Amino acid sequence: MKTIIILTGAGISAESGIRTFRDSDGLWEEYRIEDVATFDAWQRNPRLVLDFYNQRRRQLATVQPNAGHFALAQLEEKFKVHIITQNVDDLHERAGSSRILHLHGELTKVRSTVDDRLIYDIGYKDVNLGEHCEKGSQLRPHIVWFGEAVPNIEPAAKLTETADILLVIGTSLNVYPAAGLINYAPRHAPKYYIDPNAANVQHFHNLTVIKEKAGIALPKLVQDLMK
Ligand code: OAD
């Protein structure tokens, strides 16, 4: 069975109604990264940071996976599929994909601020100041903020090395180390990059760029790959 490695970004969830970060209506147009997505921000104003992620979590409860997420789940009928996602939503899970590695954390989880191993599933509930882990520390979003280490990057790089086929979907490839993962794919492996506003990646060998929305392009591409 061939292995397909898939790197997804905010663009795959755009058609579900979740805003991307860097498009013209993106989240980073309304919020400053330094105010809501860094450890400094958390120390300065934890209420604002919790509120930002509470809003994202509440919205997540109201949206559904789209045709792009479902197409990727279907690939598992014929391939060994690993999804490496920069997204903190749970739409790949809800579409039925089974092997998903979250690089930047998960909205539906929180963790202890004194022990990284204490991670709790909270679903779509808010988390507030004064809510503590079992060791008595404030709970924080289970999100990798700018400037923090990305604990899953090593397993992600190892997985990418095993790719017979690589799909890169809906990402501006602006944020490292995630954007560097493509470099780990074997040179000969066919690569597809689906993004209506794809970044310039022409230097990659065996790459096809599809400048279309994921919800339109993926069902077609998946059908072709499954033939
Ligand atoms: P960006 O907002 O940087 O990029 C979103 C990409 O999705 C853009 O290239 C769009 O052209 C594309 N796009 C928009 N609509 C699409 C559609 N319907 N189908 C396919 N593509 C579409 O988001 P990411 O690259 O995911 O990290 O951003 C990476 C990281 O930066 C995020 O994980 C987040 C952010 O700050 C953290 O918060 C730690």
Side-chain angles (χ1 to χ4, degrees), residues 32-49:
R32 291 176 356 129
I33 288 175
E34 313 85 80
D35 290 340
V36 294
T38 66
F39 188 71
D40 275 358
W42 169 248
Q43 286 191 307
R44 241 183 358 256
N45 194 344
R47 194 182 297 277
L48 181 70
V49 174

Side-chain angles (χ1 to χ4, degrees), residues 149-181:
V150 180
N152 279 339
I153 198 67
E154 257 185 57
K158 288 223 161 68
L159 279 175
T160 308
E161 284 171 350
T162 70
D164 294 308
I165 300 172
L166 178 77
L167 310 187
V168 178
I169 303 158
T171 172
S172 62
L173 295 173
N174 254 287
V175 174
Y176 284 81
L181 282 174

Side-chain angles (χ1 to χ4, degrees), residues 114-182:
V114 294
D115 185 344
D116 284 351
R117 293 165 306 179
L118 296 177
I119 300 168
Y120 306 89
D121 222 314
I122 57 160
Y124 305 105
K125 289 201 304 266
D126 284 3
V127 56
N128 297 302
L129 280 184
E131 292 185 77
H132 293 151
C133 76
E134 65 213 57
K135 292 190 175 171
S137 82
Q138 173 65 43
L139 291 170
R140 61 164 275 180
H142 185 49
I143 299 285
V144 175
W145 287 321
F146 283 88
E148 294 190 305
V150 180
N152 279 339
I153 198 67
E154 257 185 57
K158 288 223 161 68
L159 279 175
T160 308
E161 284 171 350
T162 70
D164 294 308
I165 300 172
L166 178 77
L167 310 187
V168 178
I169 303 158
T171 172
S172 62
L173 295 173
N174 254 287
V175 174
Y176 284 81
L181 282 174
I182 308 178

Side-chain angles (χ1 to χ4, degrees), residues 70-122:
F70 286 118
L72 296 186
Q74 205 193 344
L75 275 176
E76 293 190 12
E77 291 168 20
K78 289 252 173 90
F79 296 93
K80 182 166 184 207
V81 179
H82 285 277
I83 296 182
I84 302 168
T85 187
Q86 298 168 85
N87 299 343
V88 296
D89 66 52
D90 60 355
L91 297 182
H92 286 304
E93 283 87 345
R94 279 154 58 186
S97 285
S98 50
R99 282 178 291 265
I100 304 157
L101 187 66
H102 283 271
L103 282 179
H104 293 161
E106 292 172 71
L107 265 181
T108 55
K109 294 180 179 165
V110 290
R111 71 171 187 263
S112 159
T113 35
V114 294
D115 185 344
D116 284 351
R117 293 165 306 179
L118 296 177
I119 300 168
Y120 306 89
D121 222 314
I122 57 160

